[in-house]
Amino acid sequence: MSPSAERPLPVDFDAPFDPSFTGDPIPPIVPDLAGATIRHIALDCSLRVSLSTGWLVTFCEAACVAPAGEEPKRLEFIFEVDPDDRYLTPELRMMVDQPVIAMHLSRQQGHLALETPKGRILIDGRYCMTPWEMWGPDEFIDWPGLSGWLRAD
């Protein structure tokens, strides 16, 4: 790895988060979740989105839900409870059983969005140690682990 590849790309923390970001091409080591259906969503101290393909995406800390055509709403997490769907907001409930029509990933900042016909579930990756994780069949991918790989080209 070259010395310049070891330095992280600059992140402008003062720039506003654009919830309609389309991101970068999804690298081959990350599954493109477009085409999967959201089967279940659970909320506690994180947001867990279970997909029909067997993948589970966990959004941490700065997660938002943005119904189609509306501004994103930051989710309020609940601590010291088991993950459950009884804590879901109406906006999250309407995402269940929706197909993921696109997945967006920001290479520089770690933003991740799952886009459905009803809106987006997304995270501003700039402010979290681990903004998201993906658990799949015999695989685990997280932003901190992925970020070094993505920045090394």
Side-chain angles (χ1 to χ4, degrees):
M1 184 183 305
S2 71
S4 63
E6 293 174 6
R7 288 187 302 238
L9 297 171
V11 175
D12 183 359
F13 288 104
D14 294 324
F17 174 59
D18 175 10
S20 62
F21 76 96
T22 56
D24 302 309
I26 297 172
I29 65 168
V30 177
D32 184 350
L33 302 175
T37 299
I38 296 175
R39 291 290 181 220
H40 187 261
I41 300 175
L43 180 67
D44 64 339
C45 60
S46 63
L47 179 70
R48 294 170 176 87
V49 179
S50 299
L51 300 163
S52 60
T53 55
W55 282 91
L56 171 70
V57 181
T58 301
F59 294 88
C60 304
E61 302 168 26
C64 302
V65 60
E70 295 182 29
E71 291 295 313
K73 297 176 184 178
R74 183 116 181 229
L75 296 170
E76 290 187 34
F77 292 99
I78 304 156
F79 295 87
E80 299 180 18
V81 298
D82 291 330
D84 199 329
D85 58 4
R86 69 178 168 197
Y87 306 115
L88 298 183
T89 64
E91 297 87 359
L92 285 172
R93 282 191 193 286
M94 71 180 185
M95 301 287 182
V96 176
D97 293 327
Q98 292 295 305
V100 176
I101 55 175
M103 184 175 100
H104 307 287
L105 171 66
S106 169
R107 174 185 187 120
Q108 181 179 0
Q109 296 170 321
H111 308 326
L112 180 70
L114 299 179
E115 185 172 347
T116 75
K118 301 272 186 176
R120 289 177 162 210
I121 298 171
L122 63 155
I123 190 158
D124 180 346
R126 299 175 296 174
Y127 303 107
C128 308
M129 290 290 293
T130 304
W132 55 266
E133 300 172 338
M134 290 184 189
W135 302 81
D138 302 320
E139 290 187 70
F140 170 74
I141 300 167
D142 68 346
W143 170 247
L146 183 64
S147 65
W149 184 86
L150 289 175
R151 293 176 178 163
D153 54 355

